[in-house]
Amino acid sequence: MPFGSAIQAEYFDDAGYRALFRDHCDIVLPMNELKFDLVHPEREVFAFEPADRLVDFATENGKRSRGHTVVWWNGVPPWLAALNDPREIETELRRHVDAVVGRYAGRLESWDVCNEVVAHEAPYDAPMRDSFWQRALGSRHIPIAFRAVAGADPKAKLVLNDYDLEFRGERYDRRRASIVEIARQLQDAAIRIDAVGIQGHLYADQAVDIEALGRFGEALKRMGIALIVTELDVIDWKISGGPAGQDAAAAKSVGDLLEGVFAAGPPLAVIAWGMTDRHSWVDDVMPHGDGTPSRPLPFDATGRPKHWFRLIEKRLREG
């Protein structure tokens, strides 16, 4: 099974940073550079160079790549947000897909078509996130996007991607149920969906529900839908004990995630949200209160692999 990681253009000139992806990844994908607001910042302007650079790096080094993401609530450029006419917004979404997905057709093996469409709490009576896309087009923005991506690159696998699908508790049960229902609605409309992406931003202080993950994977498998881990990292801001304590907690969380995900069969891939602790969003957004550096990624700040990276390697070899 392939292991991959998201790479960032702003750190690309660091030879040591590039080497981690070249030496340890099967899949290398742009982390931010294909998000709507960055690749299409103005209505008639597309900024392809950063993504091109990263996809070219993957191709030149014999790696696979994938696209992240077409529809995301937090990636709407101001020019698009200023539009009010639903027909115009739908037209611009289709035009964006034709330009961006079409440009990389045949080079990206899958796309996170819709990202984080489920409401954070996901109450049963209102499971959809209150987003620009939901307000403009309603829930039909999901099938519109899936159809458009399938048309622009018929060979790419189509993924519905979301977070908080792995933990124990009623809120997480609701989120898993919402994802299954969206997938069922797509299939009922004869729209292809190939996989559900479990982001895997793991809170090391929260229990992964191995059994519920297994049931989730089995429900999707019966529908012919695979799992893929898309954004794996470990948020350890509530873990004490320094590097040893952080890494032990991370290994437990990652091991439990893999156990749950593999319960229904091997996923399409396991992908980390970066390779080295030198470059991660976690310390900026959820830092330790005492100033302890976070250790969210499979390699530490000096480029040394952690135990949980070896766990992933072993599990992917075994299938």
Side-chain angles (χ1 to χ4, degrees), residues 14 26 39 73 80 90 142 156 204 226 229 242 269 275 291 308 311:
D14 179 343
D26 306 295
V39 76
W73 65 273
L80 182 60
E90 180 177 343
I142 300 172
V229 178
M275 287 292 279
W308 65 265
L311 287 179

Side-chain angles (χ1 to χ4, degrees), residues 2 27 64-67 107-111 155-157 268-269:
I27 300 171
R64 297 146 59 181
S65 194
R66 63 187 309 268
R107 301 188 67 195
L108 303 182
E109 66 180 24
S110 62
W111 270 93
K155 293 183 178 180
K157 291 187 182 297
L268 295 180

Side-chain angles (χ1 to χ4, degrees), residues 21-213:
F21 295 86
R22 187 178 59 245
D23 296 345
H24 299 285
C25 292
D26 306 295
I27 300 171
V28 178
L29 68 139
M31 180 180 287
N32 299 309
E33 292 76 8
L34 288 171
K35 290 175 178 174
F36 203 130
D37 55 335
L38 296 183
V39 76
H40 195 173
E42 302 292 341
R43 193 166 191 167
E44 301 303 329
V45 174
F46 290 88
F48 289 118
E49 191 280 332
D52 283 352
R53 192 180 186 197
L54 301 180
V55 174
D56 287 347
F57 169 76
T59 302
E60 291 163 3
N61 286 278
K63 312 298 182 184
R64 297 146 59 181
S65 194
R66 63 187 309 268
H68 176 84
T69 175
V70 176
V71 167
W72 183 39
W73 65 273
N74 200 27
V76 179
W79 68 266
L80 182 60
L83 303 182
N84 297 308
D85 182 352
R87 290 172 299 180
E88 187 178 15
I89 292 168
E90 180 177 343
T91 296
E92 290 300 333
L93 173 56
R94 294 181 185 278
R95 189 168 74 95
H96 172 85
V97 169
D98 286 344
V100 177
V101 177
R103 180 184 183 88
Y104 298 99
R107 301 188 67 195
L108 303 182
E109 66 180 24
S110 62
W111 270 93
D112 294 329
V113 179
C114 293
N115 186 47
E116 301 180 354
V117 298
V118 175
H120 185 68
E121 296 295 333
Y124 286 117
D125 59 344
M128 301 303 296
R129 181 182 290 275
D130 180 19
S131 67
F132 165 80
W133 298 106
Q134 184 72 14
R135 292 189 296 272
L137 301 174
S139 296
R140 70 188 185 94
H141 74 273
I142 300 172
I144 288 170
F146 270 79
R147 280 197 179 102
V149 174
D153 188 354
K155 293 183 178 180
K157 291 187 182 297
L158 310 182
V159 181
L160 177 66
N161 195 47
D162 224 305
Y163 67 95
D164 279 2
L165 299 176
E166 56 275 275
F167 300 117
R168 180 176 299 138
E170 199 268 341
R171 172 177 167 254
Y172 308 104
D173 292 339
R174 292 198 306 271
R175 292 182 60 78
R176 288 185 285 266
S178 296
I179 289 291
V180 171
E181 180 58 27
I182 293 169
R184 183 174 291 113
Q185 290 172 4
L186 287 170
Q187 289 192 333
D188 287 347
I191 298 170
R192 178 165 59 89
I193 172 174
D194 298 296
V196 163
I198 295 177
Q199 288 186 2
H201 295 297
L202 301 178
Y203 290 82
D205 57 298
Q206 291 185 231
V208 171
D209 194 329
I210 298 172
E211 292 75 17
L213 259 183

